[in-house]
Amino acid sequence: MAIVNATDQNFASETGSGVVLVDFWAPWCGPCKMIAPVLEELDGELGDKAKIVKVNVDENQETASQYGVMSIPTLFVMKDGEVVDKTVGFQPKEALAELVNKHL
């Protein structure tokens, strides 16, 4: 499944069902750039089991504020629209896979 770029307008519909890994990021953030290829790899491995959604905090401040995102990258695992897990900062692929897999 391809990684989706969500906006304030479509965030709820993109994260409303199933297991979704949400990456709050910004183009100027170094660790965010480092985690991008990790998320691409993880997306390939997860296939249809989970979806990955990216939210640019500069362009979608309403959503970032609503979820209390203070530093980036912040990654949430959401299940059927509810936050069930969270991690902040760069994480290796194995750690992110474990975070997602425990909610599948």
Side-chain angles (χ1 to χ4, degrees), residues 33-96:
K33 290 177 185 170
M34 289 168 46
I35 210 167
V38 173
L39 293 173
E40 290 288 343
E41 263 186 62
L42 187 61
D43 185 56
E45 291 176 16
L46 289 171
D48 291 338
K49 293 185 285 188
K51 178 178 182 179
I52 297 178
V53 172
K54 294 177 71 89
V55 179
N56 181 328
V57 296
D58 288 344
E59 296 172 358
N60 302 285
Q61 294 176 1
E62 195 177 299
T63 302
S65 167
Q66 181 182 344
Y67 286 92
V69 175
M70 293 294 169
S71 59
I72 50 175
T74 292
L75 295 108
F76 286 160
V77 177
M78 298 181 78
K79 191 167 190 172
D80 299 327
E82 297 294 318
V83 176
V84 292
D85 223 328
K86 172 184 175 178
T87 186
V88 177
F90 177 82
Q91 301 292 324
K93 185 179 72 175
E94 295 73 24
L96 291 175

